[in-house]
Amino acid sequence: MTPRILLTGKNGQVGSELAQLLPRLGEVTALGRKELDLSNIHDIRQAIHEVRPSLIVNAAAYTAVDRAEKEEALARAINSDAPAVIAEEAKKIGAALVHYSTDYVFDGTKRTPYSEDDPTNPISAYGRTKLAGEEAIRAAGIPHLIFRTAWVYATSGKNFLLTILRLAAEREELRIVSDQFGAPTSSREIAQATTRVFAPRISDVGAGLRPARPQNVDPAGFLADLAGTYNMTASGETTWHEFATTILEDCSQLPRDLPWFAAATGNRPLIAKRVIPITTADYPTPARRPVYSVLSNTRFAATFGFTLLAWRTQLTSALKG
Ligand SMILES: NC(=O)c1ccc[n+]([C@@H]2O[C@H](COP(=O)([O-])OP(=O)(O)OC[C@H]3O[C@@H](n4cnc5c(N)ncnc54)[C@H](OP(=O)(O)O)[C@@H]3O)[C@@H](O)[C@H]2O)c1
């Protein structure tokens, strides 16, 4: 039987990629905020009741890290309470749940990659609300996968890549933080990896070249032994400064009329000549960020038999649009 899949957050960076790939696994009902507002618990229950999925993929989240400092209650409703209700409803109908979380559940005091078992200690409202969402899902006792990812970007949406391109079209000099370490991860890689976890027999889930071919996977049964929390980030590590420099190097080769690139730059040439490294202290933000939030992907690799590409390779591939 073809599994029924409910996807939330279909317009987000990760959600929009999943909306393209998940049809390979089953019959997908993809909902954006307009169709399902996760701040409304009644609507969440109703949507799950109506669709009766065997797999729920929750790609929706409150991701405005700085704004969350002032709107923690709203961030909590979407990042903590909604996943709790989704998990509760999943339990009632025997559905499995895939959910995404963040490197910002850690405080960043380590200097070697964080494993899933390292103690969490979020230092921002966003991190606290995401951790509470994870905990609610784990407590529900359902087959679940929580994928902790980091520094997510795409050629659409709101992210560091597009911000750097906008600034580089406006200014000759950029000042970028060089003392925070992480692993920029492309949303397409996250969606491809998620799909590949469920379809290990499909070797090329990302190319989009094959017709959608729903698989006969029973998500709850499949996840029974694998349920848990997994880091899922690009391999390697970098700083925001090095990431910005690399973006600008790579983008200097791109045709200016590439649609996403033209949109990011407002169709203007890149005029930035210098990317100056600065410290976190030089760039105060409402939310504190971990200084070091590189995650170890060892558990993911050992369990699922593959790793995500290195951040540098992911960037090259993402820029192709
Ligand atoms: N972005 C990052 O750097 C990052 C880093 C680590 C982990 N993550 C995690 O990765 C997952 C995917 O993030 P992303 O980068 O794809 O985020 P994103 O681009 O901000 O997408 C999140 C989506 O959630 C939707 N949403 C927000 N509030 C909602 C509500 N009340 N009801 C329904 N939908 C709502 C947004 O809708 P609108 O389009 O209407 O705003 C948006 O489409 C999230 O769990 C996030 O916490 C992200």
Side-chain angles (χ1 to χ4, degrees):
M1 219 179 63
T2 305
R4 269 202 299 275
I5 302 171
L6 175 62
L7 169 67
T8 65
K10 73 165 182 182
N11 300 313
Q13 300 189 92
V14 174
S16 56
E17 298 289 346
L18 284 167
Q20 293 185 44
L21 291 177
L22 288 177
R24 291 164 184 274
L25 301 180
E27 190 187 314
V28 178
T29 302
L31 306 176
R33 187 204 299 250
K34 249 195 267 166
E35 299 84 25
L36 175 59
D37 184 339
L38 290 192
S39 63
N40 187 325
I41 284 174
H42 170 77
D43 288 358
I44 299 174
R45 293 194 197 282
Q46 191 175 344
I48 295 174
H49 184 75
E50 277 170 13
V51 178
R52 290 197 80 76
S54 52
L55 174 64
I56 302 170
V57 182
N58 181 31
Y62 181 108
T63 56
V65 175
D66 286 319
R67 212 166 64 223
E69 295 298 314
K70 281 202 170 147
E71 291 186 348
E72 188 158 353
L74 179 59
R76 186 165 294 279
I78 297 156
N79 292 345
S80 320
D81 302 347
V85 173
I86 292 172
E88 197 184 311
E89 291 301 310
K91 187 163 196 168
K92 286 184 197 162
I93 58 171
L97 173 60
V98 171
H99 177 80
Y100 298 92
S101 190
T102 172
D103 53 336
Y104 286 8
V105 297
F106 296 114
D107 60 17
T109 50
K110 260 186 100 178
R111 290 297 173 269
T112 53
Y114 280 92
S115 83
E116 291 81 352
D117 297 330
D118 278 322
T120 52
N121 183 28
I123 54 173
S124 64
Y126 169 73
R128 283 191 292 278
T129 62
K130 290 296 291 183
L131 178 60
E134 286 188 5
E135 285 168 345
I137 292 168
R138 284 191 285 267
I142 54 167
H144 69 271
L145 292 173
I146 296 171
F147 292 130
R148 283 186 186 145
T149 191
W151 294 26
V152 179
Y153 67 94
T155 52
S156 63
K158 282 193 195 122
N159 58 62
F160 185 80
L161 163 66
L162 298 179
T163 301
I164 289 297
L165 290 178
R166 178 177 54 77
L167 292 175
E170 289 170 2
R171 303 178 189 175
E172 292 199 346
E173 183 175 294
L174 307 189
R175 296 163 59 78
I176 307 294
V177 170
S178 64
D179 58 0
Q180 288 173 25
F181 296 82
T185 306
S186 111
S187 64
R188 183 167 301 164
E189 274 278 321
I190 295 168
Q192 286 178 351
T194 304
T195 312
R196 191 165 162 188
V197 159
F198 285 93
R201 293 178 307 282
I202 299 178
S203 57
D204 191 8
V205 292
L209 298 173
R210 299 180 189 184
R213 193 160 48 118
Q215 301 291 296
N216 292 327
V217 193
D218 163 24
F222 172 68
L223 285 190
D225 298 333
L226 304 175
T229 302
Y230 297 88
N231 297 335
M232 187 213 256
T233 58
S235 314
E237 63 180 68
T238 187
T239 64
W240 292 116
H241 176 266
E242 188 189 16
F243 189 35
T245 311
T246 314
I247 289 169
L248 292 181
E249 271 167 24
D250 284 11
C251 287
S252 64
Q253 317 292 329
L254 289 179
R256 254 181 67 190
D257 58 354
L258 196 63
W260 72 264
F261 185 52
T265 56
N267 224 355
R268 294 163 298 182
L270 299 179
I271 58 165
K273 294 188 174 62
R274 290 173 299 282
V275 185
I276 311 286
I278 60 167
T279 65
T280 301
D282 292 330
Y283 187 72
T285 51
R288 284 176 65 209
R289 274 127 174 111
V291 166
Y292 182 92
S293 63
V294 180
L295 305 183
S296 160
N297 296 302
T298 305
R299 179 183 288 175
F300 184 95
T303 308
F304 301 113
F306 68 98
T307 47
L308 276 66
L309 297 171
W311 71 265
R312 185 69 185 83
T313 317
Q314 290 194 23
L315 177 63
T316 306
S317 157
L319 295 180
K320 292 181 182 148

